[in-house]
Each structure stands twice: as structure tokens, then as C-alpha cells.
């Protein structure tokens, strides 16, 4: 298959829907052999994407999944730690188990997956690239999803540390999405009317799309980014205007 | 209470429609993780489409089950290897193979073409060989590694293969071959923890609703015996761990009926302890024919 990622073996965690699905699709269009992992197979057709069942919060399952992938594909070139998210929760009353689960999925799991990938990549002549999907929630206050914001802030710092430890064979970078329209938009942003109001607050005038994030991921995975490691590419359409500007002018 | 096939990984070939689809749905409802294989051909095996398999996957997942689709050609050595590999890659194990895929190209024997013969024999016999062959290799490796697999092969034979069917020489020969294949598998694979059994189903599907339309039709009320879903409960049990003691058997299954077939034993015989004179065999055979119990008639024979 032709394309700038022809022959590349790519794993996208949480790649069966949402942003991860968009990333997986983009790599597939670029010629890569793309694996997606999840706890359960999705309802929608996977097409050419290859499904690996795994709960990435469990280190044994991560190891087993990577073994199956390498056994079939011969190696791994790009890993995108995309699986993550959180329902809204009041930080004052959130249970310990809930908070631990959010941190396990959004911070510990990317570390486990990265470790398993790095072990393979260090032995490959061309090494590999790991891209961690962070969030604007990790860069500014994240009220209503506090543990999630903390985990994402931690993931950004982890990206920088691993980029130093695992260089030069493995490059690690972060992509920080802003507000993205996915199947979960109703939960995060409310009704279609509410989503439209939210979109109007973004300087770009719209919510982001999975394809917007995918483009950033593909760049960071590409040969053009060979001197880019420990970086954070923020894809948020200009970000959030300071609230006081509208309050002061109204 | 755990379901009968909880977490077991099962390949069902030809699972996009008909009986295969019912197997996939029933296995998923029993807790299995199903690989829905179908290349989406027409009834005579022509053409291809990914959609039937994907539709069944969507139906299973929407109902809370787990399934992925595969569109490899099961009668192709490499394609069937990819199918088995996909199951193991996706789910980390493989427990059962339900060989159901196959099509028909009916023709009276005297007019049968080489192409029709090859196509039908290939999809049924070679298809049954290839997928199970790769699965058995996996179970052998797993057994040697101490994993204690409980492999299950479920083949699809047919009354046509046991008693013959007018207009279906290739199909009948292939289905008879599958019955014999089942016996050999059952004798050889037990050492790896695997069983092999076959079903001879009777149900209303694309393959039967034309030719056998009267018999297959849904009744106005009461039990719809010919519904293809009535075949699947036996498949679910055979695919489970609970069926370890059952191997090398052929079951006719339809409606609410399960019948053990085969158990081929020797019938009437004569042994004179020396070479026969050909002329003497005439009288001996005539007596043997009279002594043998009535045969089930060849399907469609007048």
C-alpha cells in the first residue's frame, strides 16, 4: 500500500471511536497497518483496522497485547496513547475508587503502554515514535473533571521525562486537543444548541474534529518531525478567550 | 451464573446469513467472543461483500455482545490462516471453530461441469480442512506450552452427504467427505484437548427456501420448526467446555429434534473364507440386500 506511512505499524489505544478513530483512519489512509485496542469490539465496522482486545489499565493485558501485535506485525513503529476521558464528577464528593480509576486510565495506562512499546522500539533499527493525547484540561483549571485534568497534566510532564530517558531511539511528544466534536459531545457540551454556543466561544468559530487532531499526530509521527521530541502541539483553534474580556465589555 | 460460552473465542464461517448468522448470534448471547467470517457471496458463490459480516457484528454488539468481522476466503490456505491469526490477535485465544460456510451449484450429475464441481468441493471440503487445520496447530502449540486448551471443531455435513441428494452430486460428495474428516479429527486431536463433531441441519435459509419451499415455510401458528435459529443451541453446547466427552459424532438437528447419525456399523455380511467366484456373488448380494434394513431415500429421488 502506498502513502507516507506505507509499511508502518501503528497502535492507537481507544482507537475504536472518537478522536482515536479519526487518528486510526488517518494513518490507514496514509498506508499504515493500524491496530486499535479497546476493552470491547465496537459496533461500527472496523474496516481495515485490526482490533486487539485489552484493558490497558492492567499491566499483564498490556504486555500480552503488545506480544500479540508484535507476533503478527513483526514490530511497532508508532504508538498513540489516545484512550482516556472522564465523566463529570464533583471533586468534593468523588469516591476514592472513581478518582483512582480516572488516573489509572488517563495517566498510568499511557505509561504502561509506552513501556511495552519502548521495549520493542529500542531493539528496532529505526526506533519509534510515541504520541500522547493530552488535553487543554491539563493546562488550565478543569473544574468538574479535576482528577482528569490532573492526570492529563501529569501525562504532559511524563511525555517530557520519557522523551529524555528514551532518546535517541524513541521520540515522545504530546498533542493537546481543545474542544473536539465526538460521540461524547452531548455529555460534555450539552444539547446541539449548547454545543453551538460553545463553538462560538472558540476563536476558530467551531469545535475541533478528530481529523484536526489526526493531522497533528501524523506530523509528529513522521520523518519531518525527527528533531521534535518532548514537545506539545496544541490544537485548540486559538483556545479560550479570557472570560473577563466579555464580562468587562458587556 | 456464568453463561455457557462465557469469554470463549469462536470463529463462525459463513456467518453473514442463514444458519451461520444464527450460530454467531446464539454464541454471542451465550457469552462468546465471535469472529464473524463471511466473504458475502451470492448463493452460488459468486461476488463478494463485507457488509453481511459487518451487519452481524453490529447486531451482536448492539445487543451487548462481542464480535469482530473477517472477510477472508476460508478455502484459501493463507486466508484461513489469517482468519485464525486474527482471532488470536484480537482476543488472545481461540476455543472453537464452527465450519458453516459453503454454497451450492446444483446440476444433474450427467450435466455437471468441471468448474461447478471444483468450486463446490473446494468451498466445502477444503474450507473445512483449512480453518480447522490452522486452529489445530494453535491448540497443539498451546497444549505443548501447558495451556490446557479445550478446542472444539464443529463441522457442517448434511443429510445430502449421508444419504445423497439428487442434483447435488458435488455438494453431497463434499458433505460426505466432511463427515469422514470429522471422524479423523476426533481420533487424532483428542491428545491436544480438542473434539470434533458434525451437524446435518435442516432449516429454512437461502439455500433451501427455493427448492424445498413447501417443507421449509413458516407455519401460520405454532412452533416454526424450520427457523434456522433452532439449529444453533446444539452448536452453542458443542462449542462450550461442557461438551468435552462428545467427539466424532454426527447430529441431524432441526426444529426441536436432535438425532444421532452415523455410528457406522457393519450390516449383513457373508464370509466364505476363500476367494469368491464372481458368479456366486450375485445370489449372495441379493440375499444381503433383502436382509439390510430399509435405507433413508436419497433426497429428491422418485
Amino acid at each position: 500500500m502506498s502513502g507516507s506511512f506505507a509499511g508502518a505499524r501503528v497502535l492507537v489505544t481507544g482507537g475504536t471511536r472518537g478522536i482515536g478513530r479519526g487518528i486510526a483512519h488517518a494513518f490507514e489512509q496514509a498506508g499504515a497497518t493500524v491496530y486499535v485496542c479497546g476493552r470491547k469490539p465496537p459496533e461500527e465496522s472496523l474496516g481495515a483496522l485490526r482490533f486487539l482486545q485489552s484493558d490497558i489499565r492492567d499491566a499483564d493485558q498490556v504486555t500480552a497485547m503488545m506480544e500479540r501485535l508484535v507476533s503478527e506485525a513483526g514490530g511497532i513503529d508508532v504508538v498513540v496513547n489516545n484512550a482516556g476521558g472522564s465523566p463529570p464528577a464533583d471533586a468534593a464528593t468523588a469516591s476514592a475508587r472513581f478518582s483512582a480509576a480516572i488516573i489509572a486510565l488517563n495517566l498510568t495506562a499511557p505509561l504502561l503502554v509506552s513501556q511495552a512499546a519502548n521495549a520493542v522500539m529500542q531493539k528496532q533499527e529505526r526506533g519509534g515514535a510515541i504520541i500522547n493525547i493530552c488535553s487543554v484540561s491539563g493546562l488550565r483549571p478543569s473544574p468538574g473533571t479535576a482528577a482528569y485534568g490532573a492526570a492529563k497534566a501529569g501525562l504532559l510532564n511524563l511525555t517530557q521525562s520519557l522523551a529524555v530517558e528514551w532518546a535517541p531511539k524513541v521520540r515522545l511528544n504530546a498533542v493537546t486537543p481543545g474542544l473536539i466534536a465526538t460521540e461524547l459531545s452531548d455529555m460534555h457540551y450539552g444539547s446541539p444548541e449548547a454545543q453551538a454556543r460553545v463553538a462560538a466561544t472558540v476563536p476558530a468559530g467551531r469545535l475541533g474534529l478528530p481529523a484536526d487532531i489526526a493531522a497533528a499526530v501524523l506530523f509528529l509521527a513522521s520523518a519531518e518531525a525527527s528533531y521534535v521530541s518532548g514537545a506539545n502541539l496544541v490544537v485548540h483553534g486559538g483556545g479560550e478567550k479570557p472570560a473577563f474580556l466579555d464580562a468587562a465589555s458587556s | 451464573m456464568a453463561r455457557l460460552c462465557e469469554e470463549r473465542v469462536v470463529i463462525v464461517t459463513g456467518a453473514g446469513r442463514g444458519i451461520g448468522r444464527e450460530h454467531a448470534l446464539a454464541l454471542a448471547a451465550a457469552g462468546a467472543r465471535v469472529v464473524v467470517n463471511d466473504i458475502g457471496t451470492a448463493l452460488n458463490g459468486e461476488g463478494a461483500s463485507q457488509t453481511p459480516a459487518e451487519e452481524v457484528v453490529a447486531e451482536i454488539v448492539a445487543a451487548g455482545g462481542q464480535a469482530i468481522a473477517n472477510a477472508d476466503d476460508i478455502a484459501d490456505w493463507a486466508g484461513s490462516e489469517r482468519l485464525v491469526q486474527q482471532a488470536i490477535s484480537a482476543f488472545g485465544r481461540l476455543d472453537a471453530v464452527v465450519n458453516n460456510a459453503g454454497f451450492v451449484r446444483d446440476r444433474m450429475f450427467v450435466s455437471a461441469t468441471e468448474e461447478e464441481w471444483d468450486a463446490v468441493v473446494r468451498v466445502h471440503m477444503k474450507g473445512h480442512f483449512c480453518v480447522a487445520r490452522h486452529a489445530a496447530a494453535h491448540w497443539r502449540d498451546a497444549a505443548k506450552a501447558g495451556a490446557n486448551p479445550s478446542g472444539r471443531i464443529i463441522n457442517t455435513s448434511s443429510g445430502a452427504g449421508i444419504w445423497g441428494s439428487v442434483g447435488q452430486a458435488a455438494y453431497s460428495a463434499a458433505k460426505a467427505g466432511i463427515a469422514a474428516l470429522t471422524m479423523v479429527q476426533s481420533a487424532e486431536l483428542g491428545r491436544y484437548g480438542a473434539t470434533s463433531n458434525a451437524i446435518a441441519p435442516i432449516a429454512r435459509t437461502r439455500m433451501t427456501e427455493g427448492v424445498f419451499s413447501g417443507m421449509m415455510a413458516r407455519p401460520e401458528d405454532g412452533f416454526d420448526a424450520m427457523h434456522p435459529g433452532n439449529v444453533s443451541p446444539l452448536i452453542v453446547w458443542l462449542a462450550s467446555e461442557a461438551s468435552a466427552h462428545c467427539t466424532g459424532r454426527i447430529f441431524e438437528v432441526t426444529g426441536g429434534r436432535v438425532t444421532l447419525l452415523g455410528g457406522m456399523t457393519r450390516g449383513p455380511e457373508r464370509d466364505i473364507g476363500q476367494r469368491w467366484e464372481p458368479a456366486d456373488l450375485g445370489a449372495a448380494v441379493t440375499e444381503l440386500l433383502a436382509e439390510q434394513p430399509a435405507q433413508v431415500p436419497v433426497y429428491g429421488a422418485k
Side-chain angles (χ1 to χ4, degrees):
Chain A
M1 202 175 182
S2 63
S4 49
F5 282 93
R9 297 143 308 181
V10 179
L11 169 65
V12 182
T13 70
T16 59
R17 53 200 173 100
I19 294 172
R21 185 70 182 242
I23 295 170
H25 181 68
F27 273 110
E28 187 212 332
Q29 292 292 106
T33 299
V34 183
Y35 291 85
V36 296
C37 69
R39 282 176 300 163
K40 289 189 193 281
E43 193 172 323
E44 311 77 32
S45 164
L46 283 159
L49 303 177
R50 297 165 198 230
F51 177 76
L52 301 166
Q53 183 163 45
S54 181
D55 184 343
I56 54 171
R57 297 167 297 181
D58 179 322
D60 291 337
Q61 289 197 38
V62 168
T63 305
M65 171 192 69
M66 193 60 69
E67 274 172 11
R68 299 198 312 263
L69 189 162
V70 172
S71 159
E72 180 175 300
I76 183 74
D77 302 298
V78 181
V79 169
V80 183
N81 279 308
N82 160 85
S86 171
D90 180 15
T93 54
S95 73
R97 191 187 324 173
F98 174 85
S99 303
I102 296 302
I103 292 167
L105 177 62
N106 289 281
L107 178 56
T108 317
L111 173 56
L112 296 175
V113 172
S114 297
Q115 284 176 322
N118 178 64
V120 178
M121 291 172 174
Q122 290 293 340
K123 294 186 236 161
Q124 296 176 161
E125 197 194 320
R126 290 166 38 154
I130 298 173
I131 295 98
N132 293 327
I133 306 301
C134 296
S135 170
V136 286
S137 293
L139 301 182
R140 49 88 171 130
S142 187
T145 49
Y148 171 77
K152 288 300 195 182
L155 182 58
L156 183 58
N157 182 268
L158 179 66
T159 305
Q160 296 166 331
S161 302
L162 299 181
V164 171
E165 286 197 35
W166 295 348
K169 268 284 170 89
V170 179
R171 293 186 299 107
L172 286 103
N173 290 288
V175 170
T176 291
L179 308 179
I180 310 296
T182 70
E183 299 92 336
L184 292 178
S185 293
D186 291 351
M187 178 174 82
H188 288 303
Y189 312 125
S191 66
E193 296 76 24
Q195 289 180 41
R197 289 196 298 274
V198 167
T201 70
V202 180
R206 64 174 178 87
L207 297 181
L209 293 169
D212 296 321
I213 305 307
V217 173
L218 262 66
F219 164 68
L220 289 168
S222 74
E224 281 70 37
S226 66
Y227 201 63
V228 182
S229 194
N232 180 23
L233 183 44
V234 180
V235 186
H236 61 8
E240 290 151 13
K241 290 189 292 194
F244 82 90
L245 289 172
D246 286 341
S249 66
S250 64
Chain B
M1 190 171 102
R3 295 172 291 181
L4 201 52
C5 288
E6 199 71 49
E7 295 302 308
R8 285 177 68 79
V9 177
V10 184
I11 290 171
V12 184
T13 70
R17 295 188 176 95
I19 292 175
R21 171 177 165 276
E22 299 291 340
H23 292 338
L25 295 174
L27 286 160
R33 295 176 279 176
V34 183
V35 181
V36 177
N37 159 272
D38 206 300
I39 59 172
T41 69
L43 177 58
N44 67 355
E46 288 172 349
S49 167
Q50 260 191 302
T51 310
E54 290 172 347
E55 284 177 356
V56 174
V57 167
E59 194 175 349
I60 287 173
V61 175
Q66 300 188 62
I68 57 173
N70 168 280
D72 282 306
D73 179 357
I74 46 88
D76 179 77
W77 177 264
S80 55
E81 186 168 27
R82 282 193 299 272
L83 168 59
V84 169
Q85 177 61 43
Q86 182 180 2
I88 297 166
S89 287
F91 296 121
R93 57 191 275 187
L94 174 61
D95 299 292
V97 169
V98 180
N99 282 313
N100 162 85
F103 50 79
V104 289
R105 298 219 178 142
D106 297 347
R107 190 82 63 197
M108 294 301 278
F109 177 77
V110 71
S111 308
T113 72
E114 180 182 3
E115 190 211 22
E116 288 167 346
W117 176 271
D118 285 344
V120 171
V121 169
R122 176 185 180 272
V123 70
H124 289 281
M125 274 233 276
K126 188 151 186 202
H128 272 64
F129 163 66
C130 284
V131 182
R133 165 67 179 77
H134 295 301
H138 166 71
W139 292 325
R140 178 191 53 195
D141 293 345
K144 284 188 175 161
N148 215 23
S150 57
R152 303 284 183 262
I153 297 170
I154 299 129
N155 296 324
T156 303
S157 181
S158 170
I162 309 294
W163 302 302
S165 178
V166 170
Q168 298 191 309
Y171 179 80
S172 302
K175 288 310 195 186
I178 286 165
L181 173 64
T182 304
M183 302 306 176
V184 176
Q185 289 169 335
S186 72
E188 293 185 12
L189 300 180
R191 72 200 64 175
Y192 308 123
T195 67
S196 180
N197 294 282
I199 62 163
I202 305 173
R204 181 178 64 245
T205 71
R206 244 184 353 173
M207 195 180 275
T208 58
E209 64 194 353
V211 177
F212 301 105
S213 61
M215 176 197 161
M216 293 293 164
R218 167 190 229 110
E220 288 212 5
D221 51 22
F223 179 41
D224 182 8
M226 290 300 134
H227 191 288
N230 295 326
V231 179
S232 303
L234 179 61
I235 264 58
V236 171
W237 181 79
L238 285 171
S240 75
E241 286 211 30
S243 63
H245 58 287
C246 178
T247 194
R249 305 293 181 160
I250 305 175
F251 297 87
E252 187 173 44
V253 49
T254 179
R257 173 166 73 81
V258 175
T259 309
L260 258 182
L261 296 184
M264 286 290 202
T265 54
R266 295 194 173 84
E269 68 176 50
R270 296 283 183 280
D271 186 346
I272 60 171
Q274 63 186 51
R275 185 176 304 192
W276 286 81
E277 283 296 323
D280 294 340
L281 276 165
V285 169
T286 300
E287 285 176 15
L288 290 175
L289 293 175
E291 286 168 28
Q292 189 177 41
Q295 301 287 281
V296 174
V298 173
Y299 287 171
K302 296 203 169 43

